[in-house]
Amino acid sequence: MSFFVNKEGNIRVGRIVTTSVIGLAAIVSLFASFSHVPVGSTGVVVTLGQTQSMTLGEGFHIKAPYITHIVSMDNRIQKQEVSAAATSKDLQAVSTTIDVNFHLSPGNSNSMYQNIGQNYSEILLAPAIQESVKNVMAQYSAEQLITQRSTVSVSIREELENRMTEYGVIIDEFNITNFQFSAEFDAAIEAKQVAEQNKLKAQTEKEQRIIEAEAAAREKEVAAEEAK
């Protein structure tokens, strides 16, 4: 008799365990059926490893559990800082730091994820900044890079925008934070400035002597006229 009781008890326990497992699986599947796209992002739908043409906006969405997942592409303004090296028109080595604020157009989120990935700023944007800096700075002498810094900055930004437009990356702000040249060039610039200052000083002193001489001559003339 006890044998049948134990057997019946085991069957009952087995049913409870099975029911619990099924219930847990159902709960997990329910949670897996929802996805959240953060504020300022676009949801790229990937089903069985294949990117779908549709995209999702901000908020919660229902999806097929396990076979579909949502990748969030950030469309908010981000910052990229890049150190770049170039050569000026007169073959002076130049190093600089570029600060760029940018954002990804929501309409290009899908193609960007499919072709480049989420880390497109490192794969795509940073090298584009490097090349833009090299191409533009090669058109100016080292001295022009200093005296025409704003013009150089505009030219680099325009080239960068031309490179990134097709990918839907929009440049919001572009800044050259510094220029660094070789020690020899810095010394040459300093020497030139000193020479110009000395020249200006000598010219000023010469003009002052002329003025003083003219004043003295005028005084003599006045004294001679008064003596008559």
Side-chain angles (χ1 to χ4, degrees):
M1 183 69 177
S2 61
F3 171 80
F4 292 103
V5 171
N6 291 339
K7 184 177 181 181
E8 183 178 350
N10 290 338
I11 294 174
R12 189 174 300 157
V13 171
R15 288 176 178 173
I16 293 173
V17 171
T18 301
T19 302
S20 299
V21 170
I22 293 174
L24 180 61
I27 293 173
V28 172
S29 296
L30 179 63
F31 279 102
S33 299
F34 292 92
S35 182
H36 174 254
V37 178
V39 174
S41 301
T42 298
V44 177
V45 182
V46 181
T47 301
L48 296 176
Q50 184 175 3
T51 303
Q52 305 301 305
S53 59
M54 65 174 293
T55 57
L56 302 176
E58 304 169 357
F60 283 94
H61 301 275
I62 298 176
K63 64 180 182 65
Y66 308 121
I67 64 172
T68 296
H69 69 279
I70 310 301
V71 178
S72 295
M73 295 294 287
D74 197 343
N75 303 122
R76 295 171 298 181
I77 294 177
Q78 303 177 61
K79 182 177 181 179
Q80 180 84 8
E81 183 178 274
V82 175
S83 296
T87 303
S88 65
K89 187 177 181 180
D90 52 351
L91 303 181
Q92 292 291 335
V94 188
S95 60
T96 184
T97 302
I98 307 294
D99 281 338
V100 177
N101 287 353
F102 67 96
H103 72 275
L104 175 64
S105 171
N108 292 84
S109 298
N110 201 319
S111 60
M112 181 63 79
Y113 175 74
Q114 187 174 15
N115 297 316
I116 307 297
Q118 288 178 292
N119 59 337
Y120 65 89
S121 63
E122 295 296 332
I123 296 176
L124 191 65
L125 181 60
I129 294 173
Q130 297 269 6
E131 288 302 314
S132 298
V133 168
K134 289 179 180 179
N135 290 343
V136 172
M137 287 192 177
Q139 302 171 26
Y140 295 85
S141 68
E143 190 169 349
Q144 287 175 327
L145 291 176
I146 299 173
T147 59
Q148 302 179 33
R149 179 167 173 165
S150 59
T151 301
V152 173
S153 179
V154 170
S155 297
I156 296 175
R157 174 172 181 161
E158 289 176 349
E159 174 144 347
L160 180 61
E161 287 176 336
N162 290 336
R163 288 173 177 268
M164 302 308 297
T165 296
E166 64 176 300
Y167 300 100
V169 177
I170 300 169
I171 307 301
D172 299 289
E173 190 173 347
F174 181 93
N175 290 301
I176 299 175
T177 59
N178 73 317
F179 277 134
Q180 290 183 345
F181 299 92
S182 65
E184 292 79 7
F185 178 77
D186 289 339
I189 289 294
E190 184 177 357
K192 181 179 180 180
Q193 290 175 340
V194 170
E196 289 177 348
Q197 290 172 356
N198 290 337
K199 180 180 179 181
L200 180 61
K201 181 181 178 181
Q203 182 67 27
T204 302
E205 291 175 348
K206 179 180 178 181
E207 291 175 353
Q208 183 64 32
R209 288 194 299 270
I210 292 173
I211 292 172
E212 291 173 353
E214 291 176 347
R218 180 58 180 164
E219 287 179 359
K220 289 181 179 180
E221 291 177 0
V222 172
E225 291 178 356
E226 291 176 348
K228 289 179 179 180

